[in-house]
Amino acid sequence: MSKIAFSAGEKAEIVEGIKLYFAAELEQEIGSFDAEFLLEFFAETIGGRFYNRGLHDALAALDTRLDGIKDAVYSLEKPTDTR
């Protein structure tokens, strides 16, 4: 699997979110460097699990849609009884 990478804008938003979380929930101020370091740590250690969950959920949604398409195709089937 390739490394999970974010655009500069995405990374800035995530880093800001981490900083806000630490301030609100943990009553700790952390800088951008520490927040970015934490983001990289999580991306490397558990990012693959979140990525795989997203793939699993996408495939489940696709399967549901494909079942509907299959049903629609089968509903077009013509009777073939020649009696």
Side-chain angles (χ1 to χ4, degrees):
M1 180 178 91
S2 61
K3 183 178 177 183
I4 295 173
F6 299 104
S7 70
E10 290 171 327
K11 187 180 277 190
E13 286 180 23
I14 297 168
V15 165
E16 189 60 29
I18 292 170
K19 290 168 58 177
L20 290 172
Y21 176 82
F22 267 72
E25 300 296 326
L26 304 174
E27 297 179 1
Q28 290 185 341
E29 299 294 324
I30 65 169
S32 295
F33 177 79
D34 290 334
E36 192 169 328
F37 184 78
L38 188 60
L39 171 61
E40 292 297 323
F41 170 75
F42 281 123
E44 290 174 13
T45 58
I46 63 171
R49 292 186 186 275
F50 283 97
Y51 183 85
N52 291 345
R53 171 53 50 193
L55 290 178
H56 175 79
D57 291 348
L59 286 172
L62 185 59
D63 284 342
T64 299
R65 296 283 177 128
L66 286 175
D67 285 343
I69 293 170
K70 288 177 193 175
D71 290 343
V73 170
Y74 282 125
S75 73
L76 299 173
E77 197 170 34
K78 304 288 184 206
T80 58
D81 189 10
T82 55
R83 291 187 244 174

